[in-house]
Amino acid sequence: GAVVSQHPSRVICKSGTSVKIECRSLDFQATTMFWYRQFPKKSLMLMATSNEGSKATYEQGVEKDKFLINHASLTLSTLTVTSAHPEDSSFYICSAGGGLAGFRAKNIQYFGAGTRLSVL
Amino acid sequence: QKEVEQNSGPLSVPEGAIASLNCTYSDRGSQSFFWYRQYSGKSPELIMSIYSNGDKEDGRFTAQLNKASQYVSLLIRDSQPSDSATYLCAVNMIADSSYKLIFGSGTRLLVRP
C-alpha cells in the first residue's frame, strides 16, 4: 500500500499554545487528505476533508477556526490546533487518498501513524 | 440509526479457529467497502477492500459483501494471537461525492493462544 508519513507522533504542550501536525504522502500524489480524531476506545471521527489547493470541508460540529487545515501541495497537508486546551487532547490521524491510478475511484485511504496530543 | 454498525465485542476465539466479523451499513448507494485493522495505540491499517457482491480472498482473510442485505463481513482463517486487534469496517458515502468514508465503531478481536 501507499506510504503516509505523519509528524510528530507525540506532542505534549501547555494550554493556550498552538500545535501543527504534518501529513505527507511519500510515494503518491494525494489529491484528497482527511483528518480524523479518535478518543480512547472510540471509533474514528472525521474532522475535515482537504483537497489540494482549496479550502477544507469541515464536518458538522468541528470548529474551522480552531482546527486550521492547509493542503498546499499534493503531498502535504497540515492541521494546526490553535490555542489548544485540555479537551483537545486526543489521537489525531490523517489519511490520504486519490491521485494514484484507480485509488480515487475506489475510495481507498491510507493512514498516517497518528499524533497523540496531550494538552496540560 | 448509525450509518455503519458493528458489534463491539470482544470476540474471543482460540488460536487456529475462524474469526467472523460482521458489519451492516445504511446507505444503499455505497459502493466501496473496507476492513481496517487497528492495534491499540496505533493507526488503522488497510486489510481488505471489496466492491462487488460475493467473496474476495487474500491470504487468511476473506471479505464477503451482500449489497441487497447491506452486509459486509470479514473472515480470518487460522487465527493467530497477532490478529488480536480492533477491526474497523468502513463504507464510502456517495451523498456528496467527497470520497469520505464512514467508519463503524469497531469489533475487538481476541485470539487466545
Side-chain angles (χ1 to χ4, degrees):
Chain A
V3 179
V4 178
S5 173
Q6 185 172 345
H7 178 80
S9 58
R10 179 78 190 254
V11 179
I12 301 174
C13 68
K14 292 182 179 180
S15 184
T17 59
S18 294
V19 175
K20 178 185 282 189
I21 303 170
E22 290 189 350
C23 182
R24 294 179 184 274
S25 56
L26 298 185
D27 54 0
F28 72 105
Q29 293 182 325
T31 54
T32 307
M33 288 186 172
F34 304 85
W35 288 95
Y36 296 85
R37 182 174 182 176
Q38 187 175 37
F39 292 105
K41 300 189 186 300
K42 300 294 184 182
S43 190
L44 299 172
M45 183 193 80
L46 179 65
M47 300 174 66
T49 302
S50 170
N51 291 297
E52 185 267 337
S54 63
K55 291 183 178 180
T57 301
Y58 290 82
E59 295 299 302
Q60 189 174 9
V62 178
E63 301 176 58
K64 61 181 181 181
D65 295 330
K66 173 76 171 176
F67 300 100
L68 300 178
I69 292 172
N70 183 278
H71 192 164
S73 75
L74 286 172
T75 59
L76 174 64
S77 178
T78 61
L79 167 68
T80 301
V81 183
T82 61
S83 187
H85 291 282
E87 58 267 27
D88 298 323
S89 299
S90 189
F91 191 42
Y92 292 87
I93 316 173
C94 72
S95 72
L100 196 60
F103 278 13
R104 186 175 182 85
K106 294 185 174 181
N107 295 293
I108 293 176
Q109 293 182 27
Y110 290 98
F111 284 86
T115 298
R116 192 161 303 281
L117 173 63
S118 299
V119 185
L120 305 178
Chain B
Q1 181 186 2
K2 291 183 180 179
E3 294 171 300
V4 179
E5 293 209 48
Q6 296 180 254
N7 188 314
S8 62
L11 173 66
S12 181
V13 300
E15 184 174 356
I18 296 175
S20 178
L21 305 165
N22 305 313
C23 172
T24 58
Y25 60 95
S26 61
D27 187 350
R28 284 196 170 275
S30 296
Q31 298 177 10
S32 305
F33 307 87
F34 306 90
W35 284 98
Y36 286 85
R37 176 175 63 198
Q38 187 175 24
Y39 292 111
S40 180
K42 303 295 183 181
S43 66
E45 173 192 8
L46 180 65
I47 295 178
M48 293 283 288
S49 60
I50 187 166
Y51 304 94
S52 303
N53 280 327
D55 294 0
K56 178 181 177 182
E57 186 175 319
D58 184 0
R60 295 187 296 114
F61 299 100
T62 299
Q64 299 175 318
L65 175 61
N66 184 326
K67 290 185 179 181
S69 300
Q70 295 174 243
Y71 177 91
V72 58
S73 65
L74 179 69
L75 300 177
I76 306 175
R77 290 181 299 281
D78 188 23
S79 296
Q80 301 297 310
S82 59
D83 295 326
S84 298
T86 297
Y87 289 80
L88 302 172
C89 172
V91 177
N92 81 304
M93 306 303 288
I94 65 169
D96 56 8
S97 67
S98 63
Y99 307 104
K100 64 183 182 183
L101 298 179
I102 302 300
F103 286 83
S105 57
T107 298
R108 187 174 164 219
L109 173 66
L110 296 175
V111 180
R112 309 187 303 272

